[in-house]
Amino acid sequence: MAAKKVAAYQIYIGTSGYSYRDWRGFFYPPGLAAKDMLPYYAREFNFTEVNSSFYVLPRPQNLEQMARKVPDGFIFAVKAYRTLTHERGDSLAGDSRQLRQALQPLVDRGQLGAVLLQFPFSFRNNQANREHLTRLKELLPDVPLVVEFRHNSWVNDAVWDFLQRHELAYTCVDEPALPGLVGPVVRCTAAVAYVRFHGRNAAKWWHHEEAYERYDYLYTPDELKEWLPGITYLAGRAHQVFVAFNNHYHSQAVTNARMLKELLAGV
């Protein structure tokens, strides 16, 4: 299928989180206060993922304060709280309701791009887990949901049909070429399309002492060029495409986000 040229505003490029202390001296000025990181980041980028919401359910005032620090048109993707994706227990309904309430300031401002449902490798394609996805759609019916799978049992035509039927966006991922992982599959299953770059640090993906080691990777221009046809294809089908770099160690994500913006400008 021939990729058509798309307007740049349809593609939002940013990083998975922005408030990393180890970005000082690389992206942020050495003495920049944490409270000033988001406004500084938003000078250059028009999109970011909120990662803190995975660990602590946000409150509406938290996201309201964040929205006030960025220009109009800046978009947030909010990672779902861990009970929705990893623990999946009795608090699902209540936590989903609380998350939805917290999102309201972003919804009101038109600044919510998506809620990211990032599932672990142990989340396999089976009836119970498909039912869990449909339950989440029922609990969060009016916000865009994007689903990131890690296990390759989800990569098949029946899953694409399932996701389309329930208006769930598939998250395309770049990660190490290791057995069991989903691989660089490009699919558009909803009005929003999503791509996440995790790096290709195969040696540290499963075996690392610190969490950041998994994402310690800097893409080359040629590696990013591999994704240009796929991202352009997504932009031709979705209303919005969000591309997030999660190779965050020492702000390598910023370097690669800049690089991808330049590459797409030439498409």
Side-chain angles (χ1 to χ4, degrees), residues 40-58:
Y40 187 98
Y41 173 95
R43 294 179 190 176
E44 181 171 352
F45 298 102
N46 59 1
F47 157 70
T48 193
E49 290 180 352
V50 178
N51 282 331
S52 58
S53 51
F54 176 79
Y55 302 99
V56 179
L57 268 169

Side-chain angles (χ1 to χ4, degrees), residues 121 123-125 149-156 178-183:
F121 184 75
F123 189 77
R124 310 294 172 89
N125 178 14
F149 301 116
R150 291 289 171 88
H151 193 268
N152 65 5
S153 59
W154 293 97
V155 180
N156 62 67
L178 292 171
L181 297 182
V182 296

Side-chain angles (χ1 to χ4, degrees), residues 228-242:
L228 295 183
I231 292 172
T232 306
Y233 169 78
L234 293 173
R237 295 179 63 87
H239 295 311
Q240 294 172 309
V241 180
F242 297 101

Side-chain angles (χ1 to χ4, degrees), residues 134-194:
T134 58
R135 177 64 174 148
L136 287 173
K137 183 62 179 178
E138 293 169 355
L139 291 168
L140 298 164
D142 62 338
V143 295
L145 298 180
V146 300
V147 183
E148 180 177 356
F149 301 116
R150 291 289 171 88
H151 193 268
N152 65 5
S153 59
W154 293 97
V155 180
N156 62 67
D157 289 340
V159 170
W160 313 140
D161 292 341
F162 169 83
L163 295 175
Q164 287 181 320
R165 189 164 61 251
H166 295 285
E167 298 180 332
L168 297 167
Y170 176 76
T171 300
C172 312
V173 296
D174 188 283
E175 58 194 1
L178 292 171
L181 297 182
V182 296
V185 176
V186 176
R187 287 292 185 279
C188 182
T189 61
V192 166
Y194 215 91

